Amino acid sequence: MSSNSQWSSRVGFILASAGSAIGLGAIWKFPFWAGANGGAAFIIPYIIFTFTIGVVLVMAEVAIGRKGRGSVVTALRSVGGPWYALMGALGVLTSFVILSYYSVVGGWCVAYLWDAVGGNVTISDPQILKDHFGNLVSNGYLNVGWHFAFLTLTCAVVIGGVEAGIERVSKYLMPMLFILMLAIIVRGLTLPGAWGGVEYLFNFQWENLTSNAILNAMGFTFFSLSLGGGILVTYGSYLPGKTSVPHSSLWIAVLAIQAAILAGLMIMPAVFAFGMEPNGGPGLVFITVPMIFSHVPFGSIFAFFFYVCLLVAALTSAVSLLEVVTAFMQNEWNLSRKKAVTINWVALFLLGSVSALSFGVWSDFTVGGRNFFDLLDYVCTNFMMPFGGLVIATLAGWKAWPVVREQFRIGNNFGPGILKVFHFILAFLAPILVLVAFYQGLFG
């Protein structure tokens, strides 16, 4: 995108911003994170965090981006000065690191779409599906190859220009993904034993509300809303001047939560129906969904369209992450879009290949019990993204509040009371919660 590019509509911006998180946060990650953190004991804090600090930080990022009109570094320098520009560079690094390992997950989507073309994913035996997924991720050359395919597809989209592409994909194929998710949910809920998955997700038990579950819920809030990585600052820089930032931000939060809950309802009932472990890891979406398709008429056709949409969701996330780094290189290094994307392609392929190999030949290399893929995911989700949110909160809540407040007022008739609430969340509540999360993550 050029510096004077704009979204053609508010709906396009909302769907693109929500789409940047749906593939990355909801469908792949939410089901197994909810399963690993006690279901409702994770979901309730996640929803509370999203509608408090989450949505206000979305508003702040978008407002800073629209005021600064440039990459996250350019925008933060314009609004906050040189020190905040340095913090913006950390946001660029965060998006780069996330994309490196997320591209591996995107490669799994390409692999399963390829299998769906051949009608090889509608299998009812969970052990066969587990073995198939295990063979995919543990085969180093194969995993790197699919990572290469997905990353190349992502780079091709960004080199060609993403403004019209993101909006077109978001407006048409993302609703199709939601429709297919609903169809899978309906079928999954009719399976014997499926209701146990619903109870697991929504039955609240105090003993599950641990400090670790709360920490992970806040980390997932940042992850699911694409906070702290510069995406919303970058996308906000393309937002027309008359669009309401708060209304658009609220819709982004609503769609992100909706996608996460639907993903949980799509996966967990089937997990219980087929006797699998609810904390079975990120492969759940690649194991349970094929089993559901094996129990519906024309399952192979549904599987094909589902994995097309899943790939689109993954691409929407990946494109938004790559756009952050590309815009930075264009604005700060004066590189052409093609050259910037090419440099990223090489660097991301090399770093991502380490993550791809960490499930197989390099699985013995661990830090704190985590392989390289899980380590990057843990550091980005629980530290780098919240730190980016802390930077935005201090900038918007303290140094640049008058500027941010004026952006909030555009298209709205907010009284002083609601603006004081926004200010309190940015200046005090968000920083305190992030610092508590840091402490818990380091010493808890």
Side-chain angles (χ1 to χ4, degrees):
M1 296 181 184
S2 62
S3 60
N4 60 356
S5 296
Q6 288 190 349
W7 302 108
S8 66
S9 67
R10 185 171 75 103
V11 172
F13 164 70
I14 291 170
L15 290 175
S17 299
S20 72
I22 286 172
L24 185 62
I27 300 171
W28 160 53
K29 198 168 187 178
F30 180 82
F32 84 87
W33 263 40
N37 290 280
F42 170 84
I43 294 173
I44 292 173
Y46 160 61
I47 293 174
I48 292 173
F49 283 136
T50 298
F51 282 127
T52 52
I53 63 171
V55 72
V56 176
L57 283 172
V58 170
M59 291 163 51
E61 287 206 23
V62 174
I64 290 169
R66 184 165 68 179
K67 179 64 177 179
R69 293 296 183 193
S71 73
V72 60
V73 174
T74 305
L76 264 63
R77 180 189 296 114
S78 174
V79 175
W83 188 86
Y84 279 98
L86 181 62
M87 294 300 98
L90 181 62
V92 174
L93 177 63
T94 300
S95 284
F96 178 86
V97 173
I98 292 173
L99 182 54
S100 73
Y101 67 83
Y102 176 63
S103 181
V104 177
V105 182
W108 300 343
C109 296
V110 178
Y112 271 76
L113 176 58
W114 180 256
D115 286 341
V117 171
N120 297 323
V121 294
T122 51
I123 299 170
S124 59
D125 188 330
Q127 191 57 51
I128 293 176
L129 289 165
K130 286 181 182 178
D131 292 342
H132 177 71
F133 181 75
N135 291 335
L136 168 65
V137 301
S138 63
N139 185 323
Y141 291 111
L142 195 60
N143 215 14
V144 169
W146 290 120
H147 155 59
F148 171 85
F150 179 80
L151 182 61
T152 301
L153 186 59
T154 302
C155 291
V157 171
V158 177
I159 284 179
V162 300
E163 183 174 355
I166 291 178
E167 288 199 67
R168 191 173 296 118
V169 163
S170 300
K171 285 181 178 179
Y172 296 104
L173 291 186
M174 292 308 292
M176 186 188 300
L177 176 63
F178 276 92
I179 292 171
L180 283 169
M181 288 173 73
L182 288 171
I184 295 170
I185 289 169
V186 171
R187 179 63 184 102
L189 289 175
T190 63
L191 295 170
W195 199 250
V198 178
E199 293 177 343
Y200 181 83
L201 278 176
F202 298 110
N203 272 354
F204 180 80
Q205 297 183 16
W206 279 105
E207 59 267 25
N208 291 331
L209 190 64
T210 64
S211 58
N212 193 55
I214 294 173
L215 169 67
N216 287 334
M218 194 181 75
F220 186 75
T221 297
F222 281 84
F223 210 76
S224 69
L225 294 175
S226 300
L227 291 169
I231 292 173
L232 292 171
V233 175
T234 304
Y235 276 13
S237 71
Y238 310 129
L239 190 66
K242 296 182 179 180
T243 301
S244 168
V245 168
H247 289 170
S248 300
S249 301
L250 182 61
W251 271 109
I252 293 169
V254 168
L255 289 175
I257 289 177
Q258 179 182 346
I261 298 298
L262 287 178
L265 287 172
M266 182 176 70
I267 300 300
M268 279 303 158
V271 166
F272 277 74
F274 296 122
M276 302 173 64
E277 291 295 325
N279 58 347
L284 281 176
V285 72
F286 298 101
I287 296 171
T288 57
V289 171
M291 285 193 289
I292 296 175
F293 285 135
S294 71
H295 289 78
V296 299
F298 308 106
S300 295
I301 297 175
F302 275 103
F304 171 76
F305 283 110
F306 174 77
Y307 284 112
V308 166
C309 292
L310 191 63
L311 178 60
V312 168
L315 270 174
T316 308
S317 298
V319 164
S320 65
L321 290 163
L322 183 55
E323 179 64 16
V324 171
V325 190
T326 301
F328 163 74
M329 289 182 169
Q330 287 184 283
N331 288 173
E332 300 295 322
W333 296 356
N334 295 317
L335 297 179
S336 67
R337 173 170 288 270
K338 184 176 181 180
K339 184 174 291 186
V341 173
T342 301
I343 292 172
N344 280 314
W345 180 87
V346 175
L348 286 165
F349 174 71
L350 294 174
L351 182 58
S353 294
V354 181
S355 290
L357 293 169
S358 67
F359 293 97
V361 294
W362 290 347
S363 59
D364 292 335
F365 174 76
T366 61
V367 178
R370 296 179 176 88
N371 65 21
F372 191 74
F373 178 102
D374 292 333
L375 177 65
L376 292 184
D377 183 36
Y378 175 77
V379 171
C380 288
T381 303
N382 289 305
F383 297 101
M384 294 180 74
M385 296 185 81
F387 182 78
L390 181 63
V391 169
I392 293 296
T394 57
L395 173 58
W398 294 94
K399 186 175 179 62
W401 170 243
V403 172
V404 172
R405 180 180 58 200
E406 290 308 307
Q407 289 292 318
F408 287 177
R409 282 175 169 166
I410 295 174
N412 301 284
N413 294 315
F414 290 138
I418 188 65
L419 288 171
K420 286 181 180 178
V421 171
F422 292 156
H423 191 200
F424 172 78
I425 291 174
L426 288 171
F428 298 102
L429 184 60
I432 289 171
L433 289 175
V434 171
L435 290 173
V436 169
F438 280 154
Y439 179 85
Q440 178 63 31
L442 290 172
F443 306 108

